[in-house]
Amino acid sequence: MTAKTWRIGVAGLGTVGAGLLAFLAERPEFAPAGGRAEVTGVSARSRSRPRPFDISPLPWFDDPVALATSPQVDLFVELVGGSDGPAKAAVEAALKAGKPVVTANKALIAEHGAELAALAEASGAPLLFEAAVMGGTPAVKMLREAMVGDEIKSVAGILNGTCNYILTEMEATGRSFAEVLAEAQRLGYAEADPTMDVGGFDAAHKISILAALAFGCAPNFAAAEIEGIEQVELLDIAMARDLGYRIKLVASADRSPDGVLVRVHPSLAPLNHPLAQAGGALNALFIEGTRIGRIFLQGPGAGSGPTAAAVAADIADVMAGAQRPVFQGPAKSLVAFTPVDPSKSVGRAYLRFLVKDEPGVIAAVSETLAEAGVSIESFLQKPVENAPESMRGGVPIVLTTHAVAESVLKAAMERIAGLPAVIDRPRLLRIARI
Ligand code: HSE
């Protein structure tokens, strides 16, 4: 008997699409269960854009929806990106036609995952998205398959390589956010429009997907609290380091009896912690299970080869006939989780104040914190050599707090901002709960 040939339609021929086409051309019989994967149609925004491979022998489709529903295609791979528009239309069309879909599109899954899962399960077509989170590092299968014997308490980590690269370079070179971002764009590491990455939205899409898989609910991107790295200053990187921490963009999802808290914000991780040591464009993730305990995953979160490998692994699952719910449980039983009010969350924090260097200032700041019930854990005042003009002759004082409710902390910060000796708005960074 001849092994089945799976005819693959690939929409989106950017970095990941190029990696996938190169891999399938070289190893069409890669799937462990047997069979052959052959690309029988492609679609992209531009047909003529220079590419590292010749697409002219491959059937071309102007419209990804036509590719997704073509009789020449058994399995549709969506690498277009974007939560709506052609990507969504093509995925919906493929699923309605009963065709398996493999996608790397985190925005699509985070924002429309539940309705797409319902479509997939109604038609019996798999919908797989390993490559949507952490690129080539298998976080999705880990939560959806390998850890179903446990109850997950939390997932937290570094899910955006662009931000991690920028923060790493800022610390290593002493250049500002704007300078490092401009260089990253010039070198092609950062998108021309970097908002999704540096604004924290990409990481929020990914953690929303992981939260759904970890806690058996529908993705609830709208409930994520999101802060990017645009406001991270070199001064804070240096001060945090003096206190024994490194600033990372941490995405986290925590389950408590009140519901689920999903957040993305710049956070301090102790210098010797694995998250602090995941530098450059690496991604890293801690998963905490009730019985399994803590698992740490680290690896490439982007890039042609790694991300295409994750897409190929999903293709192999389809070829093996693997059938399981799209998320953790049948689509009809998925509900959005109850979001926890972030202001009620309790944690440790790093605060920075820019103050006039005069008697009684530290006392005034610490008294205000004490009155609010905020307990100081460590304190640092350090003159800044060659202080920039933006510091207006002030000196920074930084402190870390013991665990405190965020609403209490913010109220105290507001009172401190009103003190006559305080020059600039206070800065707050959370200390990661990892
Ligand atoms: N833009 C993402 C990142 C990679 O910088 O991590 C794709 O999700």
Side-chain angles (χ1 to χ4, degrees), residues 5 14 18 34 42 45 48 104 108 130 140 181 193 199 222-223 227 261 275 281 290 304 369 401:
T5 293
V42 291
R45 255 175 234 123
S48 55
L108 178 71
E130 181 60 60
V140 170
L181 173 62
D193 177 2
E227 183 185 330
L261 179 59
L275 281 193
T290 307
S304 175
L369 288 170
T401 72

Side-chain angles (χ1 to χ4, degrees), residues 106 132 159-163 191 197 202 206 283 301-302:
K106 60 232 101 187
L159 298 180
N160 185 269
T162 305
C163 289
E191 304 281 342
D197 288 322
D202 175 82
K206 292 167 179 168
N283 279 201

Side-chain angles (χ1 to χ4, degrees), residues 98-117:
K99 293 193 189 191
V101 172
V102 172
T103 177
N105 189 335
K106 60 232 101 187
L108 178 71
I109 299 299
E111 296 187 36
H112 303 293
E115 59 189 86
L116 293 174

Side-chain angles (χ1 to χ4, degrees), residues 223-245:
E225 199 206 23
I226 308 170
E227 183 185 330
I229 62 165
E230 304 98 321
Q231 306 295 323
V232 173
E233 294 181 28
L234 283 169
L235 178 60
D236 292 311
I237 290 177
M239 292 295 227
R241 204 188 157 87
D242 284 343
L243 290 168
Y245 295 97

Side-chain angles (χ1 to χ4, degrees), residues 93-361:
L95 294 175
K96 281 182 190 157
K99 293 193 189 191
V101 172
V102 172
T103 177
N105 189 335
K106 60 232 101 187
L108 178 71
I109 299 299
E111 296 187 36
H112 303 293
E115 59 189 86
L116 293 174
L119 271 185
E121 287 168 27
S123 71
L127 167 62
L128 297 170
F129 46 86
E130 181 60 60
V133 184
M134 294 183 84
T137 310
V140 170
K141 283 194 196 348
M142 178 80 94
L143 284 167
R144 193 184 51 219
E145 296 164 32
M147 294 188 76
V148 291
D150 202 0
E151 290 85 46
I152 308 297
K153 294 198 278 193
S154 66
V155 281
I158 297 169
L159 298 180
N160 185 269
T162 305
C163 289
N164 208 31
Y165 169 82
I166 291 174
L167 292 173
T168 303
E169 283 294 295
M170 285 172 72
E171 181 180 348
T173 64
R175 287 177 300 160
S176 69
F177 167 77
E179 284 173 288
V180 176
L181 173 62
E183 187 198 55
Q185 285 175 307
R186 198 164 36 76
L187 295 172
Y189 299 156
E191 304 281 342
D193 177 2
T195 317
M196 291 301 283
D197 288 322
V198 301
F201 303 102
D202 175 82
H205 282 136
K206 292 167 179 168
I207 194 68
S208 300
I209 294 171
L210 294 183
L213 294 168
F215 307 136
C217 44
N220 190 359
F221 174 69
E225 199 206 23
I226 308 170
E227 183 185 330
I229 62 165
E230 304 98 321
Q231 306 295 323
V232 173
E233 294 181 28
L234 283 169
L235 178 60
D236 292 311
I237 290 177
M239 292 295 227
R241 204 188 157 87
D242 284 343
L243 290 168
Y245 295 97
R246 181 164 285 138
I247 300 178
K248 294 288 185 184
L249 185 70
V250 175
S252 60
D254 293 273
R255 175 158 56 178
S256 71
D258 297 335
V260 173
L261 179 59
V262 176
R263 324 178 89 173
V264 175
H265 43 62
S267 307
L268 271 60
L271 285 172
N272 62 1
H273 191 279
L275 281 193
Q277 292 181 6
L282 276 176
N283 279 201
L285 184 72
F286 274 96
I287 304 171
E288 181 154 12
T290 307
R291 289 189 293 284
I292 296 173
R294 302 184 99 201
I295 289 177
F296 179 57
L297 276 177
Q298 176 180 289
S304 175
T307 312
V311 173
D314 278 348
I315 293 174
D317 275 358
V318 174
M319 291 170 72
Q323 274 286 5
R324 49 191 320 139
V326 174
F327 290 96
Q328 210 65 286
K332 55 181 177 303
S333 69
L334 290 177
V335 286
F337 58 76
T338 310
V340 170
D341 177 358
S343 74
K344 292 198 178 123
S345 75
V346 175
R348 292 160 63 219
Y350 159 105
L351 303 178
R352 170 169 59 89
F353 307 99
L354 192 61
V355 299
K356 292 180 193 157
D357 196 0
E358 58 188 34
V361 176

